Amino acid sequence: MPLVRIDIKKHQDPTFAKRVGQLIYAAMHSTINVPENDNFQILAEHDENHFIYDPTFMGINRTDGLVIIQITLMEGRTTELKKLLYKTIAESLNTELGVRLEDVFINLVEVKRENWSFGNGIGQFAG
């Protein structure tokens, strides 16, 4: 069960963030086997005072079109699958929404299975 946080600078198209989320979910479903309907996302748009980034960190030229994606998920996927996920997300955002590859910033946060409660005040995977 991934929890996806997507942060962007305020966009002129009010559907843009939601469309980004749809593409990210599709990429997770196809590359790291996220189950159907396992889609939980927090979409946030920020003004220029609340969206700070370095435009050249690590030699990558970023613009205000930056999309910051943080995915919290259960641990255990291989490095190869993670790399495929990064590539699939970046390429789909580029192809479908015109987001520059340089403007796709992804952070995975892996947690143990027992660190989730999906509702009802219980840890469904806690032993």
Side-chain angles (χ1 to χ4, degrees):
M1 186 241 159
L3 173 61
V4 179
R5 295 178 179 270
I6 301 165
D7 291 276
I8 61 173
K9 193 167 182 184
K10 184 80 172 153
H11 200 276
Q12 61 189 5
D13 176 355
T15 69
F16 183 77
K18 184 176 181 179
R19 292 188 297 143
V20 169
Q22 291 168 339
L23 292 170
I24 292 169
Y25 172 73
M28 293 187 309
H29 183 68
S30 69
T31 61
I32 61 171
N33 303 315
V34 169
E36 189 156 339
N37 301 319
D38 190 354
N39 188 16
F40 297 86
Q41 300 182 350
I42 300 166
L43 312 174
E45 293 185 75
H46 308 276
D47 65 30
E48 63 277 352
N49 294 316
H50 297 94
F51 192 72
I52 310 301
Y53 63 91
D54 188 289
T56 60
F57 182 69
M58 295 191 74
I60 300 168
N61 294 313
R62 294 172 193 83
T63 70
D64 282 347
L66 181 66
V67 177
I68 298 177
I69 304 159
Q70 185 174 58
I71 304 171
T72 302
L73 68 168
M74 290 182 195
E75 63 185 0
R77 289 169 177 91
T78 65
T79 300
E80 290 76 24
L81 280 179
K82 293 174 192 176
K83 289 167 71 174
L84 179 60
L85 177 63
Y86 303 148
K87 179 179 166 81
T88 302
I89 289 173
E91 288 179 350
S92 67
L93 293 179
N94 178 259
T95 301
E96 299 294 325
L97 299 177
V99 176
R100 296 170 63 248
L101 296 174
E102 299 89 343
D103 285 333
V104 180
F105 182 107
I106 304 169
N107 170 240
L108 298 183
V109 179
E110 292 186 295
V111 299
K112 295 189 180 301
R113 296 174 61 81
E114 64 266 17
N115 292 328
W116 295 92
S117 172
F118 301 102
N120 296 323
I122 60 172
Q124 284 78 2
F125 294 121

